[in-house]
Amino acid sequence: MNPKIFLPLMMIATIIVPSIPKLVQAQTQTQTTRIGDLGTPQGITISGKVQSIVGNDFILDDGSGQVIVDAGPRWWREVNLKQGEQVTVTGEMGRAGEFDAFRITRADGSAIEIRSPEGPPPWAGGPNRAKPKK
């Protein structure tokens, strides 16, 4: 084989091959994201302790940082969390810097479904507007 082609191919293989197990591992694992490491992807799961509550918004602290969690309007579904409660929240970072909740899971495993991760929230109007059953 031509050394001008072989050497660059070997350099690429040296970089790519060790990365493959890491890519496969990252795709097969589901893990909780630390609040201090939040970015913008959808379907993030965070866990922590409820620090304070105002309506359906609450501050969640996991020891690495705090974030305001928006669980939608109270008229849509009241979440009734308590200060000091340990919860796991699945959602996404919103444009306003708040974490928009799709689902809140309590320490006992019971879950509060807020909304689907698909499309805009149902309280914003549109085809998903039907109020959830209690």
Side-chain angles (χ1 to χ4, degrees):
M1 180 176 247
N2 184 338
K4 290 181 181 180
I5 297 172
F6 181 73
L7 186 56
L9 288 177
M10 287 304 295
M11 290 173 61
I12 292 170
T14 303
I15 294 168
I16 293 175
V17 172
S19 302
I20 291 173
K22 291 177 186 172
L23 292 173
V24 171
Q25 181 182 14
Q27 291 176 356
T28 59
Q29 283 184 349
T30 300
Q31 65 182 27
T32 301
T33 303
R34 292 171 16 112
I35 292 170
D37 298 332
L38 284 176
T40 56
Q42 293 184 354
I44 300 170
T45 299
I46 57 175
S47 292
K49 192 176 284 190
V50 175
Q51 295 299 308
S52 63
I53 306 162
V54 176
N56 268 5
D57 289 356
F58 57 94
I59 296 176
L60 190 66
D61 187 323
D62 73 350
S64 75
Q66 296 182 340
V67 68
I68 297 172
V69 177
D70 181 354
R74 289 176 87 174
W75 60 263
W76 179 259
R77 169 162 295 149
E78 194 164 350
V79 295
N80 292 321
L81 297 175
K82 296 186 178 17
Q83 187 173 352
E85 188 172 354
Q86 184 73 29
V87 296
T88 299
V89 184
T90 301
E92 66 185 356
M93 283 304 294
R95 292 186 192 137
E98 296 180 338
F99 191 79
D100 294 334
F102 302 151
R103 177 186 194 144
I104 301 170
T105 305
R106 291 187 148 107
D108 67 4
S110 63
I112 304 166
E113 297 294 333
I114 307 298
R115 70 178 188 96
S116 168
E118 306 300 321
W123 51 86
N128 297 330
R129 192 168 170 91
K131 192 169 181 181
K133 296 178 177 105
K134 293 189 179 200

